[in-house]
Structure formats: structure tokens, C-alpha cells
Amino acid sequence: MKKRDLLKLLSATSLAPAVTGMFGSLAFAQKKAGILRVAMTVADIPLTTGQPSQGGEGIRFMGITMYDGLTRWDLSKADEASQIVPDLAESWSVSQADPRTWIFKLRKGVRFHDGSEFNADAVVWNFDKLLKKDAPQFDQAQAAQAAYYSASLSSWKKVDSWTVEITTKTADAVLPYNLANLFMSSPAHYAELGNSWEKFAQSPSGTGPWKMALLKPRERAELVRNDAYWDAKRIPKSERLVLLPMPDSNTRAAALLSGQVDWIEAPPPDIIPRLKKQGMVITTNVYPQIWPYQVSMLEDSPFKDIRVRKAANLAIDRDGLVQLLGGLAKPAKGTVDENHPWFGKPSFQVKYDPEQAKKLLAEAGYGPANPVKVKFMTSVSGSGQMLPLPMNEFIKDNFKKVGIEMEIEVLEWETLRHRRAVGAEGAENKGRQGMNHAWAYWDPDLGLINPVNSVNRAGVGYLNWGNFKDDKADELAKKAKAAFDMKEQNRLLAELHTRVVDQAMWIWVVHDLNARAMSPSVKGFVQAQSWMQDLTTVTVS
């Protein structure tokens, strides 16, 4: 696909009436001081009950806005990777006698939006809602969204009103990372609403810096500042936050140019010059993300052969793809960036070498008369997905030149996430040899340990989508999971990543530079090196 075909810039004036019609009245479309209006890439408002849907973007806009976890990411710096810091828990420690047991000391004086008190009983109630199927408040919808983050929990109990004991199934040195994504909903408000999660979704209550004012599914959510937020330094500077689902990148750009929104996620590269000419601010920063293909290693998949996996990695012109994306990406050499402490020293070099790709395919028994035939799944848009359709078309052309015929199946983002969850063995994925699903490596579990671990097959941990199995990787993952010393953990993770790349577990393409565009009236934003971003510092003049 040629660059001029990547995206067609439609005039803002021609799209403006359509955008206004989709997302509200003229009054909404008008610019209002103190109101931050954000166009998201997702097709619907993320789940509002406490555990957001829609992946990392859901957590960014509907998780850390209205809710808090026991821990959180420090999003105050742009020049260094975000770190985990205390949130609703002021401190924590691991038992010397049993490294599976953690003690969390809770923050006093915190109240939910409905005015009820946050305490140890609330923590136990929230873990029960996700993991105790016979609990009255158990919610399958939230449990599904929290499955990855809560998977290591074995038991939890109240020690006193401000202390909670959590026990993990095995020694888990990365637990504080996962707890930043398990959010606290109000037990009292749930009871007031007749123990109905459906009603709670319309009138949610967390402890976060924003409160829900209006929810219209697939149209918009309006959040208002929580003036009583427990952390005075993070009380939002804006009065109101309006979240709009706009999966089409051209529509988002047109909405920004016409003044109907102040901020858009993932602006289309071809439109960035015009956005800049109109005075819009484009922000980018590195963050822990990889845009890959996860591949099936089942018996009937050509990717079971490492030569085919390596050939696919060597077939992609990543520099050409970056150019197509207007420079808003970086060629990948593995799951993590080459400057990351977990990168290691792989012997297999992920690069563009089509002649070597052809040679490897020939060694594996493929050629012009017998091309590799695969069917890959992707989505229209979604959290971290960048511009999946033109990117997949570009790579499809790359593959064809070396002897890989790729069929693309386009799904809605949440459908793709479900297909990921059931694994390559799932009935819905029969006849599919890979999936294009953006991935985060913000913590060791998500980034490296779980995707390589053969225990995490479909139906058990689901993060090892293609059923990759390697004894050395399994052993390294186990050791890294139990390494509480950060330096030792980083060393083991670098060894693990080296092994993963040398085995060509995935097809790695690019790292996103996390571009977003905003009106010049938006002030105070610090773009953290994270999937999460802090909107409390932002003002709109």
C-alpha cells in the first residue's frame, strides 16, 4: 500500500455536522472553558462498574479516572519510565517466613463518591466480587476483565480496619504491579442500588479523582471533578471530562479541527501536518508497547516450524512501515525496546532480510509453487492497535514477496480480545494461524512471564495464545516470578527475552510512539512513559 493511500483526509467542515450529529447537540459541540473533551479510539464506553473493558485504553479513561487501586502508576514524569507507588495502600511488605504472604497497610480518611468509608472490609468485598463466585456481589463481567490481574491471588482477609493480608498461589514478586489494575468499587453504594451492577454502571461510585455525571453507551460519558478527593495534589484542574468513542481516525481528526473535541488519541499520520498547521499540539513519547503478531504453534500451523517464524520476522520492512506511519513508530527487535533492561542479547536479529526469509522458507519446504498460507486476525481499532488496517495491508504485501500468503480477518476490538482469551485452540479460532493484538510490557508478568509460560494455555492463563512451549523459557519465567531483588529479576528477564527472540515466539513489528493531538487550549499535560496518563493536571482555557 502506497503512502498516499494510507488515509484520505476529509475536510473538517464536511465531517463536522456528522460528528455533531453522532455525539450530541450544538451546545455539546461548542467549546467550553474548564471542560476537557477526549476522542477515544474505542467503539464504546468502557465498563464503568470498576473493572473497565476495552483494554489499556479502558483503564486509562474509565479506570484510573473514577477509581483507585491499592497501588498506582506514578504518571508525573515524562523523562523516565513510570513506577509503581502507594495509592489506597500506604505501604506493603512480604512475609520473611512465607513469600506468598503480603501485608498491606491502608490509607485512612478515604471516602467513596457516595460518602461511605473505604477500609479493609471494602478491599475484601472487592476481591470477593472478582474471585468468589458464591459471593452476592460476584460479577462475571468484572471478573473477566480482571482475570489477568487477579490470577495470582489465593486468599485475602481483613487483619484490622486498616490492614489486609493477601496470599498468592506461589511466590509473586510482581504483585504490586497487578494491584494497580484492581479497582475499588463502593460496597455501600452497591447495596443502596438494590445489589444491582446494572444500576451501579449508570451511577458508579469509586474513590477516584473524577465522578460520573452522565453515561450514554456508545455515545459519551461525562465525568465531573471530585472536589473531595483524598489526595489534594491530584484534584482535577478541569471541571468536567467528556469521553467520546470514535474508532475512526479521520473522524477523530475532523472533530479536533472543527473544535468539537480538545484531545484525540492516535491521530492519523497523514493528517498531522494539517493539524500542526492549524495550531494543534502533537505529543509523543516512548512507552511499554509492542505491535506484534502472536502466532499459533499447533500441529496444523506452519509457524510450528521455527524457520517459518524467523522468515516472517525477516520479511517485514519496518523502516518502510515507520515511514508510512509518519515517523510515529520505532522498528521492533523483540517484545521490549532494545534500550530496555529486559532486552538481553538475542542472537537472532529481527530485521528486514527478504532473501534470507526466502531461504528459510525453502528449507522448510515452501516455495513459489507451495506458498505458506495463513489467516491472521486484527481489529478496526482499539487500545494500542495504532492503524491496524493499513499496517496489515502493508505487511501482507511484504509477506507476499517472500512467499507467505496472508488473509486478513477484521474484527471489532472486544471480539478480538475474546478471540485472544480463548487461545489458538479455541473453536472460534480454528483455521487462524495468528492474531495482531497490541501488547503491553509495563510489568514483568504481562510483558514476558505469562506470554511465554506453557502453563498459560487457553483455559488456564490464556496469555500464551499460540501455545508456545519451551522448557528453558518456562524455567526462566518461574525464576523471574519469584525474584524479589530487582537487579536479579531484571537479569533473569533479560535472559528470558533473549530466549524468546531466539525462538522467534512472535512476529515483532514496531513500537508505537503513543501520539496524541490536542488543541492549543489544552495546558498542563505531562505525557508519561506509560499506557496510563494522568488527566488531573490538564486545563482547558
Side-chain angles (χ1 to χ4, degrees):
M1 176 175 287
K2 296 180 180 179
K3 185 171 182 179
R4 66 173 179 271
D5 296 324
L6 173 62
L7 288 169
K8 295 180 180 178
L9 176 57
L10 303 177
S11 71
T13 53
S14 66
L15 275 178
V19 176
T20 303
M22 281 190 291
F23 300 107
S25 65
L26 181 61
F28 164 72
Q30 292 174 338
K31 186 175 178 179
K32 299 179 181 179
I35 300 178
L36 174 61
R37 300 160 301 170
V38 176
M40 305 179 291
T41 71
V42 295
D44 198 1
I45 300 298
L47 190 65
T48 61
T49 44
Q51 291 302 137
S53 56
Q54 306 287 353
E57 191 159 354
I59 295 175
R60 178 160 67 247
F61 290 119
M62 200 56 71
I64 62 173
T65 48
M66 291 198 300
Y67 295 94
D68 293 310
L70 295 182
T71 61
R72 71 174 178 87
W73 293 98
D74 178 2
L75 305 173
S76 63
K77 304 178 183 68
D79 57 354
E80 61 184 64
S82 297
Q83 302 295 320
I84 289 293
V85 295
D87 201 28
L88 293 179
E90 288 187 319
S91 64
W92 52 86
S93 59
V94 182
S95 168
Q96 294 296 315
D98 183 358
R100 297 174 303 165
T101 301
W102 297 68
I103 297 294
F104 287 82
K105 295 291 185 179
L106 305 182
R107 192 176 302 278
K108 297 178 181 179
V110 177
R111 293 197 172 271
F112 289 99
H113 298 157
D114 59 280
S116 60
E117 185 178 53
F118 168 78
N119 52 29
D121 290 321
V123 174
V124 172
W125 186 92
N126 273 278
F127 287 157
D128 285 351
K129 85 176 179 186
L130 301 175
L131 293 160
K132 191 176 180 182
K133 293 187 177 181
D134 60 350
Q137 73 271 27
F138 177 76
D139 182 21
Q140 183 58 49
Q142 292 189 72
Q145 300 302 327
Y148 160 70
Y149 306 111
S150 63
S152 70
L153 301 186
S154 175
S155 63
W156 47 94
K157 66 179 182 180
K158 169 184 174 181
V159 177
D160 58 45
S161 294
W162 310 109
T163 310
V164 173
E165 179 183 291
I166 298 176
T167 303
T168 56
K169 296 171 184 174
T170 59
D172 184 5
V174 301
L175 178 65
Y177 292 98
N178 289 330
L179 293 179
N181 301 295
L182 295 179
F183 299 107
M184 300 292 130
S185 310
S186 168
H189 192 56
Y190 175 78
E192 288 173 1
L193 296 174
N195 301 329
S196 167
W197 283 117
E198 183 177 354
K199 292 180 179 178
F200 194 99
Q202 291 292 324
S203 175
S205 178
T207 62
W210 301 90
K211 302 187 293 184
M212 180 68 76
L214 176 68
L215 174 64
K216 291 189 176 182
R218 293 192 176 274
E219 184 177 324
R220 71 180 184 270
E222 297 190 14
L223 281 56
V224 295
R225 178 170 57 210
N226 178 11
D227 289 311
Y229 187 52
W230 59 267
D231 186 349
K233 295 179 181 178
R234 296 189 62 242
I235 294 175
K237 305 298 184 185
S238 294
E239 297 174 8
R240 186 174 292 255
L241 171 63
V242 180
L243 302 172
L244 306 169
M246 291 189 194
D248 181 75
S249 60
N250 282 314
T251 303
R252 293 195 298 274
L256 181 61
L257 285 167
S258 62
Q260 294 172 355
V261 299
D262 311 293
W263 168 314
I264 65 173
E265 296 287 286
D270 275 8
I271 304 181
I272 285 181
R274 180 170 178 180
L275 293 174
K276 289 181 176 179
K277 188 175 181 180
Q278 296 298 318
M280 304 304 168
V281 177
I282 311 298
T283 68
T284 61
N285 204 349
V286 295
Y287 78 125
Q289 185 264 12
I290 177 64
W291 196 93
Y293 294 98
Q294 299 181 38
V295 295
S296 169
M297 297 185 197
L298 302 182
E299 289 297 327
D300 61 351
S301 172
F303 293 115
K304 186 172 177 61
D305 190 323
I306 189 173
R307 293 170 296 187
V308 178
R309 301 198 300 272
K310 286 185 174 181
N313 271 290
L314 296 172
I316 300 173
D317 178 8
R318 292 169 182 80
D319 289 334
L321 185 59
V322 168
Q323 184 179 5
L324 189 70
L325 294 169
L328 299 179
K330 178 181 179 180
K333 296 183 179 180
T335 298
V336 305
D337 182 76
E338 61 186 318
N339 296 317
H340 197 282
W342 302 343
F343 186 78
K345 298 178 180 179
S347 59
F348 174 58
Q349 300 296 307
V350 177
K351 60 183 180 180
Y352 184 43
D353 190 344
E355 294 308 312
Q356 179 65 13
K358 291 177 185 178
K359 182 179 178 181
L360 287 168
L361 291 177
E363 290 176 4
Y366 296 98
N370 179 33
V372 177
K373 294 185 178 181
V374 295
K375 187 174 185 177
F376 284 2
M377 298 173 286
T378 189
S379 63
V380 178
S381 63
S383 178
Q385 285 292 86
M386 305 179 71
L387 299 175
L389 301 188
M391 292 170 73
N392 272 276
E393 289 291 343
F394 181 94
I395 293 166
K396 179 180 179 179
D397 184 59
N398 283 173
F399 280 170
K400 186 176 182 179
K401 291 175 181 177
V402 302
I404 301 174
E405 293 186 2
M406 170 184 171
E407 180 184 348
I408 303 170
E409 180 181 14
V410 182
L411 305 170
E412 193 273 329
W413 174 231
E414 282 297 292
T415 303
L416 183 69
R417 294 184 74 228
H418 168 72
R419 294 287 191 90
R420 182 202 74 193
V422 300
E425 290 179 311
E428 301 98 316
N429 291 328
K430 185 176 181 180
R432 283 78 170 176
Q433 291 76 36
M435 70 183 313
N436 163 220
H437 189 298
W439 205 253
Y441 55 89
W442 57 49
D443 69 67
D445 251 357
L446 182 61
L448 291 175
I449 294 174
N450 282 329
V452 311
N453 200 324
S454 62
V455 173
N456 292 325
R457 295 165 67 100
V460 180
Y462 78 78
L463 290 175
N464 183 347
W465 182 84
N467 288 353
F468 172 75
K469 180 171 175 52
D470 180 81
D471 290 343
K472 183 175 181 179
D474 280 347
E475 182 63 23
L476 288 167
K478 183 178 180 180
K479 289 180 178 179
K481 180 81 166 174
F484 287 86
D485 178 78
M486 183 67 71
K487 289 184 179 179
E488 175 64 8
Q489 186 181 81
N490 284 344
R491 185 189 68 79
L492 289 165
L493 291 169
E495 262 193 77
L496 178 58
H497 186 258
T498 295
R499 183 65 178 176
V500 165
V501 175
D502 286 344
Q503 291 296 304
M505 183 183 76
W506 289 354
I507 302 169
W508 297 281
V509 186
V510 293
H511 298 292
D512 186 10
L513 292 184
N514 206 13
R516 40 182 55 91
M518 54 197 70
S519 162
S521 62
V522 174
K523 306 294 183 184
F525 175 56
V526 176
Q527 182 150 330
Q529 294 183 25
S530 172
W531 279 63
M532 311 311 155
Q533 299 296 331
D534 188 358
L535 303 182
T536 65
T537 63
V538 177
T539 61
V540 183
S541 57

